[in-house]
């Protein structure tokens, strides 16, 4: 029981430390974009670096209308992509996991809801980047002719799925 209390307090301190080292700094987000592009390149090749493909992912993420055409000539609307991405949880895994969820909550509770919370802002930026990159890769796999389910599996294969950690990784390795 004493050990559990100690670890819980240690986790709280580490989460604040980790949150302040990541979400607050644009360089962290830029590195995250770069690593996502590299990992996406391993999955779909040069289309991962194509500005048009990146814009497609952003347009899908932010609710714009449009469509893409797969290699079989079939048109897939952005609405269909969003619906299927939600169904297959393409954007479920986002950067930072419990660090980016618990630290902004702690600060908001300490400072009051109306206070500017830079860690909350950083979490939202990181989450938007991660989701847009995942949707960019998802749409690239759809353009290659994969069905919605297989494209989602490929996204999880090439981009880190933060929600798919084992209990050991969540409770021990995060330290």
């Amino acid at each position: 029981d004493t050990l559990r209390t100690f670890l819980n307090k240690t986790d709280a301190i580490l989460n604040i430390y980790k949150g302040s080292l990541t979400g607050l700094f644009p360089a962290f987000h830029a590195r995250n974009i770069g690593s996502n592009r590299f990992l996406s390149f391993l999955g779909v090749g040069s289309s991962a670096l194509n500005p048009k493909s990146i814009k497609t992912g952003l347009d899908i993420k932010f609710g714009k209308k449009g469509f893409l055409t797969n290699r079989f000539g079939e048109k897939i609307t952005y609405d269909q992509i969003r619906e299927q991405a939600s169904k297959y949880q393409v954007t479920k895994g986002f950067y930072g996991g419990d660090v980016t969820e618990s630290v902004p909550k702690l600060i908001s509770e300490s400072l009051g809801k109306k206070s500017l919370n830079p860690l909350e802002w950083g979490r939202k930026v990181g989450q938007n980047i991660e989701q847009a990159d995942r949707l960019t890769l998802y749409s690239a796999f759809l353009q290659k002719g994969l069905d919605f389910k297989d494209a989602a599996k490929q996204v999880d294969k090439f981009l880190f799925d933060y929600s798919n950690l084992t209990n050991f990784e969540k409770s021990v390795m995060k330290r």
Side-chain angles (χ1 to χ4, degrees), residues 14-31:
L14 285 175
N15 284 345
I16 292 170
Y17 176 71
K18 289 175 187 177
S20 68
L21 290 178
T22 56
L24 292 176
F25 296 100
F28 172 80
H29 297 300
R31 186 213 50 86

Side-chain angles (χ1 to χ4, degrees), residues 4-147:
R4 183 182 311 265
T5 302
F6 171 76
L7 290 176
N8 287 340
K9 291 188 185 297
T10 301
D11 288 346
I13 293 167
L14 285 175
N15 284 345
I16 292 170
Y17 176 71
K18 289 175 187 177
S20 68
L21 290 178
T22 56
L24 292 176
F25 296 100
F28 172 80
H29 297 300
R31 186 213 50 86
N32 203 28
I33 292 169
S35 65
N36 284 348
R37 295 282 185 276
F38 175 76
L39 293 170
S40 294
F41 177 82
L42 296 176
V44 294
S46 62
S47 68
L49 307 175
N50 184 329
K52 186 177 178 183
S53 296
I54 296 166
K55 183 181 182 315
T56 296
L58 289 168
D59 287 349
I60 293 167
K61 163 73 177 128
F62 292 109
K64 293 199 176 176
K65 297 289 183 192
F67 67 90
L68 57 83
T69 306
N70 69 14
R71 70 182 188 115
F72 304 115
E74 302 165 329
K75 289 185 178 181
I76 307 168
T77 68
Y78 290 176
D79 287 335
Q80 288 174 297
I81 294 170
R82 279 187 286 274
E83 179 183 317
Q84 295 299 312
S86 177
K87 177 180 177 180
Y88 293 111
Q89 300 181 327
V90 171
T91 60
K92 70 183 177 299
F94 63 90
Y95 107 98
D98 63 337
V99 171
T100 58
E101 291 172 6
S102 62
V103 175
K105 182 180 175 194
L106 177 68
I107 290 175
S108 290
E109 290 170 356
S110 299
L111 299 177
K113 298 290 181 196
K114 295 182 181 180
S115 298
L116 173 63
N117 186 335
L119 292 178
E120 177 67 19
W121 177 86
R123 181 187 68 81
K124 286 181 180 179
V125 168
Q127 192 172 23
N128 279 316
I129 289 168
E130 194 69 29
Q131 290 175 349
D133 286 347
R134 292 177 71 82
L135 287 167
T136 298
L137 184 57
Y138 187 60
S139 63
F141 280 122
L142 293 173
Q143 285 180 307
K144 288 187 173 287
L146 274 67
D147 65 29

Side-chain angles (χ1 to χ4, degrees), residues 147-158:
D147 65 29
F148 293 111
K149 184 177 182 178
D150 288 338
K153 287 180 183 177
Q154 290 300 305
V155 170
D156 282 344
K157 177 180 176 182
F158 286 97

